[in-house]
Amino acid sequence: MSPSEPEEAHEAARVEAAIAETAAALAHVAELADETASLVHVPRTETDDEPLPDPRRSDVDEWGRSEHMRSIARRMYQPVYERWFRATWEGLEHIPTDGGALLVANHAAAVPSDAPVIMHGIETELERPVYGLADQLFKSLPVVGTYWARLGGVVAHPDNAYRLLREQNQLVLVFPEGSKGPGKTWNQRYRLRRFGRGGFVEIAMRAGVPVIPIAVMGAEESMPIVWKSSLAAKATGLPYFPVTANQLVFGPVLGAVAYFPAKFKLRVLPPITFDVPPDQDRYSKSRIMDEAEKVREQIQSALYDMLRERRSVWFG
Amino acid sequence: MGKRVLITGLATFWGGLAAKALEADPGVDVIIGLDTREPTIELERTEYVRTDENYSILSRIVRAAQIDTIVHTFLVVDSTMMRAKTMHEINVIGTMNLFAAASQAGSTVRDVVVKSSTYVYGAAKEDPVWFDELTPRSHSPRRRVERSLDAVEGYVRDFAIDNPHVNVTMLRFSNVLGPDIVTPVSRALELPLVPKLAGFDPRFQFVHEDDVIRAMLFVLAEGLPGIYNVAGDGLLPWTEVAKICGKRTIALPPYGASWAAVPLRMFGVELPDELLDLLRYGRGADNRRLKEAGFRYSYTSAGAVEAFIEATRLRTNVGSTQPTYRYERDVEQFFRHSPAVVRDHES
């Protein structure tokens, strides 16, 4: 093709020879090091599996999370977390500082306020990322879906959860009640809904990670639903279409985004491990349902416990 | 005895490249390329046979040339290239006839490689981030290219079940980028402003065209049966893809995007529905199965984008660096069959 090609080939050969020479010299030094143990240890480099050049321009990971965006969000959210909700934790030591774990919490408020509080709290306290599993509805919303993913939201698919937990040893947050938790009206507050079909237990079993229950108090009062329109829900394709107390107080628009300053208290319960081997094709369905129910009961009774101690919705 | 290879779609980008790569392999004795059109790149020893698009003379060729390996590259993945009916003829009817010929009594075919696409996984909001080879699609296919490839894969599976003595390999390639290939994605990235859907920034995965050919040769050499995703490491947001290309983006309305794409077509910008799905939800294909079989990629997703844009920049500055080639039947026949030509690969 180009006339300079033989030259280039020659040049390449020379470079290669030089590299080979250097490598030989290095190997010799390494040998010497082994013999005398007086020189600095030179790690042998594997030339075969050198990483490929990867000219990335952002820090968005395979799940869509960006630590850069997340840190900006943390800075913006800190006053809300600290001053508005005044979140306090109990039992944070139950969350491991490394290794995968499935965090399971109760879910509430028309626009759930618990997910950001939990994710923010753990990321600032333990300095490790939390991925929040959520309904695929988020992914289909323009703008919201993109920010949701950048801030650690992942579609609640068993394959996603398995990969995050088992292969990448991450913390994953899930709300087994799904939209039934936030979608309940004011008079049903702190009464946990069905924990799905126990899928979260099966994932934890398959991934071989503990389930760590978290009881969240305060979210229910931050944006309670006074009335739901099933007709509007059907028309918009949303799981529920609420009128919130916030909207009655702040007006329909501001009320859709402004929370009441309910005091947040979070209690992390001891990890639950399942005595089953990971990576099985099937797990006993009845065992899964039993375990899921046990987790639900634990969170429910922890909540009753916390509510018994609570003197004020706003001051804890 | 060396391999006797039949390549479908010799005049297509992939057919031509596969033939060229196989010509360099001394273990390959005979290469026969089928197509409705003449080859578009210069080939040394590949025999070109003109057929209609659904290969009516195929069984005769397979028998006469004692074909043992079929490389099925003639599958249309770019739906903007032709009408739906033509694509159906080529993909579905073509594959059906190909396998009918390959499975006739006394067939000598032992290896089949099919070039499919990760479009068979679709793109939906319910999808997992990564599809492995066994992950089912979230919905039944609606886009015509996906329906078409789905039907093709059905024939491939049937053939593999009916012919357990044949090594059937199906490679599902993710979006291909590189110096030479032209796809709806590469055309979108060459526009002054790269189209995106407002409010969406899904993650894309790419495979470099060299890795596509290398993967085909790899599975042929290893005799690997089964389905394999072929895709570079890493998922990149679409805006990052545009950024690597040094381009700004222009937002299309997220709803009714396929209508918004209609006026763009007048300016030669084709955004087929399956690409709009990708621009909404993106897709990741787990490439670990092929890696575990020993394949080493030479580019990551981001690396493929960079290689593409560097080649594009070179081309806009100095024009095409590829020599132009026109197939002349008599000339090609002379080189292949005249006793006057000294053929070094026979010595």
Side-chain angles (χ1 to χ4, degrees), chain A residues 56 58 72 89 123 136 141 215:
Chain A
R56 290 294 305 266
S58 80
I72 294 173
W89 288 79
E123 290 197 353
Q136 62 257 16
L141 300 173

Side-chain angles (χ1 to χ4, degrees), chain A residues 102-106 174-177 192-196 198-202 204-205 209-216 267 269-274 287-303:
Chain A
L102 186 60
L103 313 171
V104 174
N106 56 313
V174 70
F175 300 101
E177 292 170 276
L192 265 53
R193 308 282 104 168
R194 180 164 57 82
F195 264 25
F200 73 97
V201 171
E202 192 172 353
M205 286 177 167
V209 297
V211 161
I212 302 177
I214 303 176
V216 186
R267 183 180 288 177
L269 307 177
I272 302 163
T273 47
F274 307 105
R287 170 91 199 275
I288 289 169
M289 292 311 290
D290 283 355
E291 297 288 355
E293 187 50 31
K294 259 189 247 168
V295 174
R296 199 189 80 92
E297 273 165 16
Q298 279 193 23
I299 297 177
Q300 182 71 78
S301 68
L303 278 173

Side-chain angles (χ1 to χ4, degrees), chain A residues 103-132:
Chain A
L103 313 171
V104 174
N106 56 313
H107 206 20
V111 178
S113 51
D114 39 21
V117 168
I118 296 172
M119 289 167 82
H120 180 91
I122 293 173
E123 290 197 353
T124 47
E125 300 280 348
L126 297 173
E127 290 179 355
R128 57 178 300 195
V130 181
Y131 290 86

Side-chain angles (χ1 to χ4, degrees), chain A residues 215-235:
Chain A
V216 186
M217 184 174 70
E220 294 275 16
E221 287 87 358
S222 68
M223 197 182 273
I225 296 176
V226 279
W227 183 72
K228 287 191 289 186
S229 162
S230 54
L231 201 72
K234 208 170 247 173

Side-chain angles (χ1 to χ4, degrees), chain B residues 21-338:
Chain B
L22 285 168
E23 282 188 342
D25 184 351
V28 176
D29 276 358
V30 171
I31 307 165
I32 295 174
L34 303 184
D35 208 306
T36 52
R37 295 165 302 149
E38 287 163 345
T40 46
I41 61 167
E42 193 173 344
L43 292 165
E44 189 99 345
R45 59 191 175 105
T46 302
E47 301 274 356
Y48 161 60
V49 182
R50 182 192 294 272
T51 61
D52 50 359
E53 61 220 3
N54 42 41
Y55 314 121
S56 42
I57 56 165
L58 196 77
S59 52
R60 276 176 64 198
I61 298 172
V62 170
R63 211 174 322 130
Q66 297 281 296
I67 296 297
D68 55 30
T69 305
I70 295 177
V71 181
H72 188 28
T73 68
F74 199 17
L75 287 172
V76 181
V77 178
D78 179 357
S79 67
T80 63
M81 269 168 36
M82 58 191 67
R83 288 165 48 228
K85 213 173 157 188
T86 322
M87 185 168 80
H88 178 80
E89 283 299 307
I90 293 175
N91 285 2
V92 181
I93 309 300
T95 304
M96 193 181 75
N97 288 336
L98 177 71
F99 284 128
S103 57
Q104 65 192 337
S107 163
T108 45
V109 175
R110 290 296 169 268
D111 288 286
V112 174
V113 177
V114 181
K115 184 195 161 294
S116 184
S117 159
T118 54
Y119 275 113
V120 295
Y121 296 123
K125 62 177 190 287
E126 295 87 352
D127 288 348
V129 170
W130 297 102
F131 278 97
D132 70 28
E133 289 79 357
L134 299 174
T135 316
R137 317 176 37 114
S138 300
H139 300 280
S140 50
R142 285 190 301 138
R143 309 304 181 199
R144 54 195 174 94
V145 67
E146 292 173 11
R147 278 210 306 268
S148 173
L149 290 173
D150 199 60
V152 166
E153 290 209 349
Y155 286 124
V156 177
R157 256 188 294 272
D158 288 351
F159 176 80
I161 292 166
D162 295 344
N163 299 274
H165 59 284
V166 179
N167 264 336
V168 181
T169 315
M170 190 147 62
L171 298 176
R172 291 181 182 147
F173 294 99
S174 114
N175 291 93
V176 187
L177 278 181
D180 296 312
I181 189 166
V182 178
T183 68
V185 173
S186 77
R187 282 194 298 258
L189 288 172
E190 281 187 74
L191 295 171
L193 294 170
V194 174
K196 61 169 263 181
L197 294 186
F200 288 95
D201 194 12
R203 278 145 288 140
F204 272 65
Q205 191 178 20
F206 298 100
V207 59
H208 189 280
E209 56 192 47
D210 288 356
D211 282 336
V212 173
I213 291 295
R214 287 180 55 242
M216 286 201 265
L217 296 181
F218 176 79
V219 295
L220 270 179
E222 302 282 313
L224 280 179
I227 306 172
Y228 296 89
N229 289 335
V230 186
D233 283 336
L235 296 178
L236 332 170
W238 180 244
T239 50
E240 187 182 343
V241 176
K243 205 179 277 174
I244 295 175
C245 295
K247 297 284 173 74
R248 299 177 74 99
T249 55
I250 181 168
L252 302 178
Y255 301 107
S258 54
W259 292 105
V262 172
L264 287 175
R265 210 167 294 160
M266 285 186 287
F267 302 101
V269 184
E270 293 258 24
L271 296 174
D273 284 338
E274 60 273 13
L275 179 56
L276 289 173
D277 288 346
L278 274 189
L279 287 172
R280 190 178 299 267
Y281 296 128
R283 176 169 53 231
D286 188 339
N287 62 10
R288 289 182 294 188
R289 188 159 188 237
L290 190 62
K291 276 192 194 162
E292 273 156 25
F295 184 73
R296 292 285 166 269
Y297 287 87
S298 40
Y299 293 87
T300 63
S301 284
V305 176
E306 197 180 53
F308 153 76
I309 197 64
E310 281 173 359
T312 308
R313 289 195 196 113
L314 178 66
R315 199 160 41 233
T316 47
N317 283 310
V318 299
S320 174
T321 51
Q322 294 290 320
T324 49
Y325 169 74
R326 213 174 134 247
Y327 181 85
E328 301 277 359
R329 172 162 287 270
D330 295 341
V331 178
E332 298 294 339
Q333 290 303 322
F334 166 76
F335 279 121
R336 279 169 187 70
H337 302 296
S338 167

